[in-house]
Structures are given as C-alpha cells and as structure tokens.
Amino acid sequence: MAIDWGPRASAGWIKPAIFVLCLVPFARLVVGAFMRTLGANPIEAITHSTGTWTLSFLLITLGVTPLRKLAGWNWLLRLRRMLGLYAFFYAVLHFLTYIWLDQFFDFAAIVKDVIKRPFITVGFTSFLLLLPLAATSTAAMVKRLGAKNWLALHRLVYAVAVGGVVHYWWLVKKDITQPAIYAAVLVVLLGLRLLFRARERAVAAMSGNPARSRAV
Amino acid sequence: MLIKRATDIQPSEITDRGVYLQRRAFIRAAGLAVLSASAAGALYTNRSARAGEKVFAGVSKSPFSTTEEPTSYKDATNYNNYYEFGTDKDSPARYAGKLKIKPWTLMVEGEVKKPRIWAIEDLLKTMALQERIYRMRCVEGWSMVIPWVGFALGDLIRQAEPTGKAKFVEFVSVYQSDNMPGLRLPVLSYPYIEGLRLDEAMHPLSILAVGMYGEVLPKQNGAPIRLVVPWKYGFKGGKSIVRIRFVERMPQTAWMKASPSEYGFYSNVNPAVDHPRWSQAKERRIGEFMKRKTLMFNGYADQVAGLYAGMDLKKNF
Ligand code: HEM
C-alpha cells in the first residue's frame, strides 16, 4: 500500500518518525563523545552543533506556517509545537555546554562575557526570550492565556530567530557564508509571512469581511 | 598497516609514556611482544600510514624547548587554520594535498646586501636544524604544543645582510589558484602576508620550520617552509613561504587589511588585551578538558618582553 501522506498521516506515523529524527543530532553528539570522534576540540564541536541545530529548529518551526499555506498540508500545524520545543531543547544543551563544558561554572567570567561580548549578549537574550515560549507551550497554558495573548506572546519567536542569526553573524571570525545562509532563509520566511498577510488583507477588503484569522 | 618495522619507530615514540604503559599492559596481559607492537601501531596509525616520509638527520635539541607534552600528531595535523584551503578546521587536511611543493624556491629580497633566490634544498644544506618544542596559541582561544624542526630565522637574515633601511620583514605565502580552493572565499586578500619588526625576526625564538614531530612538514601545516613565532598568535606564522622581503615601512598583513580593529601588527599573546569579540584570558589546550590561563607572551615573557619595553601593548595590539 502507498504511504499515507494525507490528513491522517500526522496522527499516524509522521509525528513519531519526526520526533525520533529530531533526536539524531543529539544522539550523534552522545555517540561521538563516547567514541571520541568529535575531533581535536570536542567542546567546540558540541557548541557548534547544538548552536547550529537550535537555529535550524527555529527556522524549521518558522517554516511550518508558510509550507502549510503553500502546500495546503494542514496537518503540519500539529508538528509545530514539537519542533519549537526541539529548538528549545537544543538551546538548553547549547547553553549548558557553554556554562558547563566551556566556562566550567566560572560565573564571574560568564557574567563578564554576557556583558562584554555582543555576540554572547545577543545569544543570551535570545535564550531568555525562549523561556516563556517553552513554558507556555502546553494546551493548558494556551487556554489560560487565551489564544490572543498566547499568539501575541509567541510572536517573540521572530525576535529569537533574528537574535540567533545576529549571534552567529557576530561570532564568526571572518567567513560569514554560514550565517548569511541562515539570514537568507529567515528573510524568505519572514517575507512570505508579510506576503500572506498582505494577501489576506486584500481578500478581506474585497469581501468586505474584517480579517478574522491573523493567526500565524 | 599495523605492525611497524623497527626503522619506522622514532625516538619520540619510544619515549612516549602512553605507548610505553600501553605496551607494558599488553605484555602483562598477553605476554606477546607482537601484540605490544601492534598496540603502538594502532595508537600511531596516522604516522605509520605515512611511514617512509623523509625524516631529518642531525637535528639537535634546543634549550628553548618546553618540556610540556606535545599535542597528538593527529590533532596537530587535522585541526588547522590555513584559509587558502577553506575556513573549516578540517579543510586544510582535506584539501592541502594538491599543493605543489616541488620545486620550491624562497626569494630573499628588498633592503639586503645579498638578495638571493634559494632552492629549498640548498637552503637546508647551509642551516643548522634544531628541534624546537613550542607552545602555539591560536587567537581563537585554543593552544597546542608542537615539536617543530627548523632553523633560526636570524641565521638566514644574517646571511642576507640587511641594509640600514631594513626595519621590518615581510613574509609572503604561496598563491596557487588552481590548488587552493579557499582563495575564492571573500575572507582575506591573498597572497597571505605576514610581518615582523627586524628585531623580532632576529630574536633567537623566531624560526623557519621545515618539519614537525621529526618529519617533513605536512602540507596542511605549511609545507615546505613556514614561520613560527611562539610568543605571537598562531596566524602570525605565515605558511608555505615563497618570499621574504626586507622593508623600511611596517607591512600591511592579511589580517590587518581584513579587520584592522581586531588584528594588529604585533598580535603578541596577551591575556590582558581581549580580542574585541572574545576574551583572551584563557585557552583550551587541545586534548585537555579544562581551560588554562593564558600566559603573557605565551609564556615566553622572560625572553621577549624586552623587545617591547616602553610600548603600550593595548595600543600596539
Ligand atoms: C536561541 C539562542 C541561541 C542560538 C540560536 C544560538 C546559535 C548559535 C550558532 C548557530 C552558533 C554557531 C555554530 C557554528 O559555528 O557552527 C553558536 C555558537 C556559539 N554560541 Fe550560541 N546560540 C544561542 C544562544 C547562546 C547562548 C545563550 C550562549 C551563551 C551564553 C551562546 C554561546 C555560544 C558560543 C560560545 C558559541 C561558539 C562561539 C565560537 O565558536 O567562538 N549561544 N550559537
């Protein structure tokens, strides 16, 4: 039988499959650490991998809505929370790597770093902004906040993503190719949102109907 | 290849404590000398795979060498910055194989009485080779200990007889557009240029290295000849040098041109002067878990601090 890509797919195999897939970068780090295959500077490798995956999951999460609208796959929406939480998961690992493996709980040095190094300041701010999003990710919290407030709060994810790209841009020594790629993807994703919004507004104006769903 | 012939085994391996203990453990456990040899081989597969590489003869020891444990050969040859081959740490090991190093000439020119184009073989015949085990501190916050084989840069300079106008020395690295994929990246201007003040270049710690770990220099480490100035950040050590020019004015180095606010001409290792974007107070020695404190002039202050007497090192970073 053909694979079910239809509306029921996410309820079936897609979600658990993606759940496992999202753990692959983490598993590779764990295996690499034990097998000592992370190269000459394993702590740097872990910092880079977790940082890259934090940013990637942020962008993947931001890609859900545009892809859903373009492809008409509404079931994608049911993956969004999981993907967002994976961004948070890798951010926590990234942050722990910094606090623990990189600075080894030297809090004086950490505070100095956060204040003095613009790239750390921006990364740290982005991480702080992720905390309320992760904390309000449950259905109960959505209900408690009310959908409107919840949506307003979760717009913070744009700031986090922009912060993540700026963080990356500022930390590279000279070759900005990688951060530039992430920046380009972010610009496209945010641009698509503006486009959708403009179109919705136009449609609403034509039908004389106030735009009801601004949900993004 | 697992089992090494006796001729492949170098003094550094024989005295290596890790191998020694490994060997003892195996002897005790299995009582088989053959097993112990293969254990040593497994630890040094990277070296035995290249057995037959030229090894230098008549290399003397130097009092300038540190007694610290050298970084593993594998790390020292797979974790490199050599942007002409790409900006990832593993790019040089991956792509440097294409670099053409035969024949190689080194041009010595500019404000000298005896300019000369050296064939590298001729140069090596006239220079006394030494092993120099030096700390190497990268501006990115990591460090290694590398047993270089080379000769004092001062020896070459004295042969060339600088004129009274020679105040600085400029080092130009090779530019092979067909063999260096990193040249296309809009990162640095090439050829890579580095420079020293004449007295820094004459300092007995400054060497031109042609080997490491007792063998010829691997291409990713700057074959066939590179500059090593152990009290400065690693990028000051130009790799694969083709031209040494004596000049009156301070050279504009590749990194100065790329980012003058971040990379100065001197670039002495200095824990008190941070890079604008990151701290230089500590470093991670490759192979170690905890960071260690970075030392002034990378631990060579006793020998070189006098070069900078009266200078504001925050301004002259
Ligand atoms: C949402 C938050 C964050 C995102 C998206 C993020 C993303 C990234 C990315 C993409 C990299 C570069 C990886 C590479 O070079 O391959 C990186 C590196 C790094 N990040 Fe973050 N990061 C975040 C938060 C933080 C925080 C909170 C800290 C520490 C307080 C931090 C410290 C670092 C450090 C030290 C590096 C390595 C810098 C270097 O190689 O010199 N990041 N991060």
Side-chain angles (χ1 to χ4, degrees):
Chain A
M1 231 190 74
I3 301 173
D4 179 9
W5 292 98
R8 281 167 295 110
S10 76
W13 61 273
I14 284 189
K15 199 167 171 183
I18 289 183
F19 180 88
V20 172
L21 207 61
C22 293
L23 280 171
V24 168
F26 177 61
R28 285 182 51 175
L29 286 180
V30 172
V31 171
F34 276 102
M35 308 279 290
R36 296 175 181 271
T37 53
L38 295 178
N41 197 343
I43 295 171
E44 181 189 74
I46 294 171
T47 307
H48 284 184
S49 169
T50 51
T52 305
W53 283 106
T54 305
L55 191 51
S56 302
F57 274 111
L58 281 169
L59 297 186
I60 291 169
T61 310
L62 282 175
V64 166
T65 294
L67 187 61
R68 177 176 70 93
K69 289 193 177 162
L70 290 174
W73 294 342
N74 281 322
W75 53 265
L76 275 175
L77 209 50
R78 279 188 250 167
L79 299 178
R80 196 170 59 177
R81 172 166 56 193
M82 183 177 81
L83 293 169
L85 283 172
Y86 264 116
F88 180 65
F89 172 69
Y90 282 101
V92 170
L93 290 178
H94 185 62
F95 188 57
L96 282 179
T97 307
Y98 172 78
I99 300 273
W100 183 18
L101 302 182
D102 193 34
Q103 300 288 342
F104 211 80
F105 306 110
D106 181 349
F107 285 105
I110 291 168
V111 169
K112 208 178 129 208
D113 241 14
V114 169
I115 295 169
K116 262 187 86 173
R117 320 256 155 260
F119 93 86
I120 299 273
T121 315
V122 173
F124 189 69
T125 310
S126 304
F127 181 70
L128 289 184
L129 295 181
L130 263 182
L131 294 175
L133 304 195
T136 59
S137 65
T138 61
M141 282 309 276
V142 181
K143 211 172 270 171
R144 244 174 84 183
L145 284 173
K148 219 170 137 191
N149 290 334
W150 188 90
L151 274 176
L153 177 65
H154 279 247
R155 294 234 163 83
L156 276 179
V157 72
Y158 303 129
V160 176
V162 171
V165 167
V166 171
H167 170 71
Y168 198 177
W169 198 289
W170 281 352
L171 73 86
V172 294
K173 201 156 98 190
K174 200 73 193 84
D175 183 2
I176 53 155
T177 317
Q178 289 293 329
I181 292 171
Y182 284 94
V185 172
L186 182 61
V187 165
V188 168
L189 290 176
L190 296 183
L192 280 173
R193 280 185 154 72
L194 291 179
L195 219 69
F196 291 143
R197 195 173 285 194
R199 206 176 57 184
E200 275 164 27
R201 220 170 263 161
V203 171
M206 263 164 52
S207 62
N209 219 353
R212 264 185 303 145
S213 113
R214 279 284 166 73
V216 272
Chain B
M1 180 176 119
L2 271 177
I3 298 169
K4 301 178 71 148
R5 283 171 291 125
T7 49
D8 294 337
I9 297 169
Q10 290 152 26
S12 57
E13 285 180 48
I14 292 166
T15 54
D16 187 298
R17 211 169 146 262
V19 177
Y20 173 69
L21 291 178
Q22 188 99 352
R23 200 171 288 167
R24 292 273 307 245
F26 265 98
I27 292 170
R28 233 178 284 128
L32 281 173
V34 129
L35 256 189
S36 75
S38 58
L43 275 179
Y44 285 91
T45 39
N46 45 309
R47 246 187 254 185
S48 53
R50 295 165 26 271
E53 282 274 8
K54 191 181 148 216
V55 176
F56 296 97
V59 177
S60 62
K61 303 259 177 238
S62 162
F64 291 125
S65 287
T66 172
T67 52
E68 288 160 278
E69 179 83 7
T71 301
S72 84
Y73 183 89
K74 186 173 174 219
D75 288 346
T77 53
N78 284 282
Y79 189 80
N80 306 106
N81 281 322
Y82 194 161
Y83 277 16
E84 286 89 329
F85 295 106
T87 53
D88 289 335
K89 291 286 183 295
D90 57 354
S91 304
R94 204 174 292 180
Y95 303 116
K98 279 186 75 182
L99 185 72
K100 281 213 181 69
I101 56 170
K102 273 174 197 160
W104 195 273
T105 52
L106 178 65
M107 204 185 292
V108 177
E109 57 167 18
E111 295 294 341
V112 285
K113 296 201 188 94
K114 292 186 184 163
R116 177 162 176 180
I117 299 175
W118 287 94
I120 189 149
E121 298 79 12
D122 297 339
L123 179 63
L124 286 185
K125 268 179 225 152
T126 64
M127 295 290 156
L129 290 183
Q130 285 195 351
E131 180 182 63
R132 297 279 183 105
I133 308 174
Y134 280 164
R135 291 177 288 275
M136 207 233 21
R137 168 66 155 78
C138 177
V139 72
E140 296 164 353
W142 52 268
S143 62
M144 296 185 179
V145 174
I146 301 191
W148 301 105
V149 176
F151 56 87
L153 174 58
D155 289 350
L156 177 64
I157 295 178
R158 274 183 290 273
Q159 276 207 359
E161 295 182 27
T163 69
K165 276 187 169 173
K167 298 281 185 293
F168 294 90
V169 190
E170 185 181 275
F171 301 85
V172 183
S173 295
V174 75
Y175 182 97
Q176 292 180 5
S177 47
D178 290 344
N179 304 330
M180 299 176 126
L183 294 175
R184 311 179 255 108
L185 298 172
V187 180
L188 294 173
S189 64
Y190 297 108
Y192 192 86
I193 308 266
E194 257 309 337
L196 295 172
R197 225 168 49 191
L198 184 60
D199 58 340
E200 295 177 321
M202 295 289 290
H203 192 281
L205 281 175
S206 299
I207 60 166
L208 287 174
V210 292
M212 56 192 247
Y213 297 81
E215 300 176 357
V216 291
L217 211 53
K219 289 178 178 175
Q220 62 267 38
N221 296 83
I225 186 163
R226 65 166 292 170
L227 178 63
V228 177
V229 192
W231 71 92
K232 293 174 180 283
Y233 292 116
F235 67 87
K236 289 296 290 181
K239 300 189 174 83
S240 311
I241 293 172
V242 291
R243 204 143 59 99
I244 298 180
R245 216 151 66 93
F246 291 76
V247 293
E248 200 172 355
R249 299 258 194 89
M250 181 183 283
Q252 284 292 305
T253 71
W255 279 102
M256 285 165 80
K257 278 185 251 173
S259 189
S261 62
E262 300 189 5
Y263 304 97
F265 177 78
Y266 289 96
S267 292
N268 293 316
V269 175
N270 188 340
V273 176
D274 286 344
H275 184 276
R277 287 182 290 143
W278 57 83
S279 164
Q280 296 291 26
K282 290 188 198 169
E283 69 199 50
R284 173 163 289 112
R285 180 69 52 84
I286 294 302
E288 291 180 359
F289 181 72
M290 299 289 281
K291 283 188 177 173
R292 56 168 70 209
K293 285 208 161 73
T294 290
L295 302 174
M296 188 64 201
F297 294 117
N298 202 21
Y300 297 98
D302 286 350
Q303 291 96 321
V304 302
L307 292 172
Y308 311 101
M311 273 176 71
D312 180 349
L313 295 177
K314 278 207 160 70
K315 255 189 226 146
N316 298 287
F317 57 95

mmCIF file of all heavy atoms in Angstrom, chain B residues 266-291:
data_model
loop_
_atom_site.group_PDB
_atom_site.id
_atom_site.type_symbol
_atom_site.label_atom_id
_atom_site.label_comp_id
_atom_site.label_asym_id
_atom_site.label_seq_id
_atom_site.Cartn_x
_atom_site.Cartn_y
_atom_site.Cartn_z
ATOM 1 N N TYR B 266 51.311 43.636 15.780
ATOM 2 C CA TYR B 266 52.118 42.875 16.739
ATOM 3 C C TYR B 266 51.473 41.544 17.097
ATOM 4 O O TYR B 266 52.120 40.501 17.052
ATOM 5 C CB TYR B 266 52.410 43.718 17.984
ATOM 6 C CG TYR B 266 53.392 44.815 17.662
ATOM 7 C CD1 TYR B 266 52.958 46.098 17.348
ATOM 8 C CD2 TYR B 266 54.747 44.533 17.599
ATOM 9 C CE1 TYR B 266 53.869 47.084 16.992
ATOM 10 C CE2 TYR B 266 55.663 45.513 17.253
ATOM 11 C CZ TYR B 266 55.219 46.788 16.950
ATOM 12 O OH TYR B 266 56.127 47.745 16.593
ATOM 13 N N SER B 267 50.191 41.577 17.482
ATOM 14 C CA SER B 267 49.469 40.347 17.807
ATOM 15 C C SER B 267 50.261 39.427 18.738
ATOM 16 O O SER B 267 50.343 38.215 18.526
ATOM 17 C CB SER B 267 49.065 39.593 16.530
ATOM 18 O OG SER B 267 48.084 40.331 15.843
ATOM 19 N N ASN B 268 50.846 40.052 19.767
ATOM 20 C CA ASN B 268 51.504 39.241 20.796
ATOM 21 C C ASN B 268 50.444 38.590 21.679
ATOM 22 O O ASN B 268 49.413 39.202 21.955
ATOM 23 C CB ASN B 268 52.388 40.135 21.666
ATOM 24 C CG ASN B 268 53.569 40.701 20.902
ATOM 25 O OD1 ASN B 268 54.228 39.976 20.159
ATOM 26 N ND2 ASN B 268 53.827 41.987 21.061
ATOM 27 N N VAL B 269 50.700 37.368 22.089
ATOM 28 C CA VAL B 269 49.767 36.708 23.003
ATOM 29 C C VAL B 269 49.728 37.531 24.291
ATOM 30 O O VAL B 269 50.776 37.805 24.890
ATOM 31 C CB VAL B 269 50.205 35.266 23.298
ATOM 32 C CG1 VAL B 269 49.299 34.638 24.348
ATOM 33 C CG2 VAL B 269 50.213 34.449 22.009
ATOM 34 N N ASN B 270 48.531 37.970 24.665
ATOM 35 C CA ASN B 270 48.402 38.851 25.820
ATOM 36 C C ASN B 270 47.043 38.643 26.483
ATOM 37 O O ASN B 270 46.019 39.085 25.968
ATOM 38 C CB ASN B 270 48.567 40.308 25.370
ATOM 39 C CG ASN B 270 48.637 41.272 26.540
ATOM 40 O OD1 ASN B 270 48.201 40.945 27.645
ATOM 41 N ND2 ASN B 270 49.164 42.445 26.293
ATOM 42 N N PRO B 271 47.039 37.971 27.660
ATOM 43 C CA PRO B 271 45.761 37.667 28.315
ATOM 44 C C PRO B 271 45.021 38.913 28.779
ATOM 45 O O PRO B 271 43.828 38.863 29.037
ATOM 46 C CB PRO B 271 46.178 36.805 29.518
ATOM 47 C CG PRO B 271 47.616 37.113 29.749
ATOM 48 C CD PRO B 271 48.196 37.458 28.408
ATOM 49 N N ALA B 272 45.742 40.047 28.856
ATOM 50 C CA ALA B 272 45.110 41.265 29.365
ATOM 51 C C ALA B 272 44.454 42.085 28.260
ATOM 52 O O ALA B 272 43.695 43.003 28.526
ATOM 53 C CB ALA B 272 46.136 42.123 30.100
ATOM 54 N N VAL B 273 44.774 41.778 27.017
ATOM 55 C CA VAL B 273 44.164 42.519 25.911
ATOM 56 C C VAL B 273 43.236 41.576 25.159
ATOM 57 O O VAL B 273 43.677 40.692 24.432
ATOM 58 C CB VAL B 273 45.248 43.088 24.962
ATOM 59 C CG1 VAL B 273 44.596 43.770 23.771
ATOM 60 C CG2 VAL B 273 46.134 44.075 25.704
ATOM 61 N N ASP B 274 41.931 41.777 25.357
ATOM 62 C CA ASP B 274 40.963 40.897 24.714
ATOM 63 C C ASP B 274 40.832 41.215 23.231
ATOM 64 O O ASP B 274 41.023 42.347 22.808
ATOM 65 C CB ASP B 274 39.586 41.056 25.368
ATOM 66 C CG ASP B 274 39.544 40.397 26.739
ATOM 67 O OD1 ASP B 274 40.446 39.585 27.016
ATOM 68 O OD2 ASP B 274 38.619 40.697 27.510
ATOM 69 N N HIS B 275 40.514 40.180 22.468
ATOM 70 C CA HIS B 275 40.025 40.399 21.118
ATOM 71 C C HIS B 275 38.701 41.150 21.274
ATOM 72 O O HIS B 275 37.988 40.910 22.242
ATOM 73 C CB HIS B 275 39.815 39.028 20.464
ATOM 74 C CG HIS B 275 39.402 39.107 19.026
ATOM 75 N ND1 HIS B 275 38.099 39.294 18.653
ATOM 76 C CD2 HIS B 275 40.110 39.018 17.875
ATOM 77 C CE1 HIS B 275 38.028 39.324 17.333
ATOM 78 N NE2 HIS B 275 39.232 39.159 16.833
ATOM 79 N N PRO B 276 38.363 42.074 20.372
ATOM 80 C CA PRO B 276 37.133 42.837 20.574
ATOM 81 C C PRO B 276 35.896 41.952 20.781
ATOM 82 O O PRO B 276 34.939 42.372 21.417
ATOM 83 C CB PRO B 276 37.001 43.653 19.288
ATOM 84 C CG PRO B 276 38.366 43.711 18.718
ATOM 85 C CD PRO B 276 39.101 42.494 19.191
ATOM 86 N N ARG B 277 35.930 40.736 20.260
ATOM 87 C CA ARG B 277 34.721 39.917 20.365
ATOM 88 C C ARG B 277 34.841 38.742 21.322
ATOM 89 O O ARG B 277 33.860 38.080 21.600
ATOM 90 C CB ARG B 277 34.289 39.451 18.971
ATOM 91 C CG ARG B 277 33.689 40.616 18.176
ATOM 92 C CD ARG B 277 33.208 40.206 16.829
ATOM 93 N NE ARG B 277 34.307 39.887 15.937
ATOM 94 C CZ ARG B 277 34.285 38.906 15.041
ATOM 95 N NH1 ARG B 277 33.236 38.144 14.964
ATOM 96 N NH2 ARG B 277 35.309 38.692 14.268
ATOM 97 N N TRP B 278 36.028 38.437 21.780
ATOM 98 C CA TRP B 278 36.119 37.376 22.768
ATOM 99 C C TRP B 278 37.311 37.595 23.697
ATOM 100 O O TRP B 278 38.220 38.367 23.403
ATOM 101 C CB TRP B 278 36.164 35.982 22.134
ATOM 102 C CG TRP B 278 37.272 35.766 21.155
ATOM 103 C CD1 TRP B 278 38.562 35.434 21.434
ATOM 104 C CD2 TRP B 278 37.196 35.853 19.722
ATOM 105 N NE1 TRP B 278 39.292 35.322 20.273
ATOM 106 C CE2 TRP B 278 38.481 35.566 19.211
ATOM 107 C CE3 TRP B 278 36.170 36.145 18.816
ATOM 108 C CZ2 TRP B 278 38.754 35.566 17.856
ATOM 109 C CZ3 TRP B 278 36.458 36.139 17.458
ATOM 110 C CH2 TRP B 278 37.728 35.853 16.995
ATOM 111 N N SER B 279 37.260 36.918 24.841
ATOM 112 C CA SER B 279 38.296 37.095 25.854
ATOM 113 C C SER B 279 39.537 36.299 25.479
ATOM 114 O O SER B 279 39.458 35.260 24.845
ATOM 115 C CB SER B 279 37.751 36.607 27.193
ATOM 116 O OG SER B 279 38.805 36.413 28.098
ATOM 117 N N GLN B 280 40.699 36.805 25.872
ATOM 118 C CA GLN B 280 41.941 36.058 25.642
ATOM 119 C C GLN B 280 42.554 35.594 26.956
ATOM 120 O O GLN B 280 43.692 35.130 26.983
ATOM 121 C CB GLN B 280 42.964 36.924 24.877
ATOM 122 C CG GLN B 280 42.538 37.328 23.466
ATOM 123 C CD GLN B 280 42.497 36.165 22.491
ATOM 124 O OE1 GLN B 280 42.306 35.018 22.884
ATOM 125 N NE2 GLN B 280 42.650 36.453 21.220
ATOM 126 N N ALA B 281 41.801 35.690 28.047
ATOM 127 C CA ALA B 281 42.366 35.372 29.351
ATOM 128 C C ALA B 281 42.679 33.890 29.520
ATOM 129 O O ALA B 281 43.600 33.514 30.236
ATOM 130 C CB ALA B 281 41.410 35.827 30.451
ATOM 131 N N LYS B 282 41.889 33.047 28.843
ATOM 132 C CA LYS B 282 42.111 31.604 28.992
ATOM 133 C C LYS B 282 42.226 30.938 27.630
ATOM 134 O O LYS B 282 41.904 31.529 26.600
ATOM 135 C CB LYS B 282 40.915 30.988 29.725
ATOM 136 C CG LYS B 282 40.817 31.371 31.188
ATOM 137 C CD LYS B 282 39.724 30.529 31.817
ATOM 138 C CE LYS B 282 39.259 31.119 33.133
ATOM 139 N NZ LYS B 282 38.039 30.441 33.582
ATOM 140 N N GLU B 283 42.639 29.706 27.673
ATOM 141 C CA GLU B 283 42.745 28.943 26.431
ATOM 142 C C GLU B 283 42.452 27.482 26.718
ATOM 143 O O GLU B 283 42.593 27.018 27.853
ATOM 144 C CB GLU B 283 44.149 29.077 25.833
ATOM 145 C CG GLU B 283 45.223 28.373 26.670
ATOM 146 C CD GLU B 283 46.631 28.860 26.380
ATOM 147 O OE1 GLU B 283 46.838 30.098 26.387
ATOM 148 O OE2 GLU B 283 47.514 28.019 26.167
ATOM 149 N N ARG B 284 42.030 26.779 25.695
ATOM 150 C CA ARG B 284 41.876 25.343 25.848
ATOM 151 C C ARG B 284 43.014 24.650 25.110
ATOM 152 O O ARG B 284 43.156 24.765 23.898
ATOM 153 C CB ARG B 284 40.519 24.857 25.306
ATOM 154 C CG ARG B 284 40.431 23.323 25.321
ATOM 155 C CD ARG B 284 39.016 22.814 25.189
ATOM 156 N NE ARG B 284 38.253 23.082 26.393
ATOM 157 C CZ ARG B 284 37.250 23.932 26.470
ATOM 158 N NH1 ARG B 284 36.854 24.587 25.419
ATOM 159 N NH2 ARG B 284 36.614 24.110 27.613
ATOM 160 N N ARG B 285 43.865 23.954 25.865
ATOM 161 C CA ARG B 285 44.927 23.154 25.255
ATOM 162 C C ARG B 285 44.261 21.960 24.593
ATOM 163 O O ARG B 285 43.512 21.224 25.252
ATOM 164 C CB ARG B 285 45.902 22.719 26.354
ATOM 165 C CG ARG B 285 47.078 21.885 25.947
ATOM 166 C CD ARG B 285 48.122 22.575 25.111
ATOM 167 N NE ARG B 285 48.685 23.852 25.579
ATOM 168 C CZ ARG B 285 49.683 23.969 26.444
ATOM 169 N NH1 ARG B 285 50.257 22.914 26.955
ATOM 170 N NH2 ARG B 285 50.135 25.161 26.786
ATOM 171 N N ILE B 286 44.488 21.805 23.311
ATOM 172 C CA ILE B 286 43.858 20.703 22.585
ATOM 173 C C ILE B 286 44.245 19.377 23.249
ATOM 174 O O ILE B 286 45.431 19.121 23.498
ATOM 175 C CB ILE B 286 44.285 20.726 21.101
ATOM 176 C CG1 ILE B 286 43.741 21.982 20.401
ATOM 177 C CG2 ILE B 286 43.822 19.477 20.357
ATOM 178 C CD1 ILE B 286 42.248 22.157 20.420
ATOM 179 N N GLY B 287 43.233 18.567 23.530
ATOM 180 C CA GLY B 287 43.465 17.304 24.225
ATOM 181 C C GLY B 287 43.151 17.396 25.703
ATOM 182 O O GLY B 287 43.089 16.373 26.385
ATOM 183 N N GLU B 288 42.954 18.612 26.221
ATOM 184 C CA GLU B 288 42.605 18.768 27.628
ATOM 185 C C GLU B 288 41.162 19.223 27.763
ATOM 186 O O GLU B 288 40.612 19.851 26.858
ATOM 187 C CB GLU B 288 43.531 19.798 28.301
ATOM 188 C CG GLU B 288 44.952 19.315 28.427
ATOM 189 C CD GLU B 288 45.875 20.338 29.097
ATOM 190 O OE1 GLU B 288 45.405 21.438 29.449
ATOM 191 O OE2 GLU B 288 47.059 20.015 29.243
ATOM 192 N N PHE B 289 40.582 18.937 28.917
ATOM 193 C CA PHE B 289 39.179 19.272 29.123
ATOM 194 C C PHE B 289 39.016 20.687 29.684
ATOM 195 O O PHE B 289 38.257 21.494 29.165
ATOM 196 C CB PHE B 289 38.545 18.244 30.055
ATOM 197 C CG PHE B 289 37.097 18.503 30.295
ATOM 198 C CD1 PHE B 289 36.166 18.268 29.296
ATOM 199 C CD2 PHE B 289 36.667 18.982 31.515
ATOM 200 C CE1 PHE B 289 34.829 18.520 29.504
ATOM 201 C CE2 PHE B 289 35.328 19.234 31.735
ATOM 202 C CZ PHE B 289 34.401 19.005 30.737
ATOM 203 N N MET B 290 39.769 20.973 30.746
ATOM 204 C CA MET B 290 39.617 22.278 31.391
ATOM 205 C C MET B 290 40.445 23.326 30.662
ATOM 206 O O MET B 290 41.519 23.041 30.152
ATOM 207 C CB MET B 290 40.083 22.199 32.847
ATOM 208 C CG MET B 290 39.314 21.224 33.692
ATOM 209 S SD MET B 290 37.657 21.800 34.029
ATOM 210 C CE MET B 290 38.008 22.985 35.333
ATOM 211 N N LYS B 291 39.931 24.562 30.690
ATOM 212 C CA LYS B 291 40.728 25.647 30.135
ATOM 213 C C LYS B 291 41.858 25.990 31.097
ATOM 214 O O LYS B 291 41.762 25.749 32.289
ATOM 215 C CB LYS B 291 39.850 26.875 29.936
ATOM 216 C CG LYS B 291 38.961 26.784 28.722
ATOM 217 C CD LYS B 291 38.273 28.110 28.489
ATOM 218 C CE LYS B 291 37.440 28.070 27.231
ATOM 219 N NZ LYS B 291 36.625 29.287 27.081
#
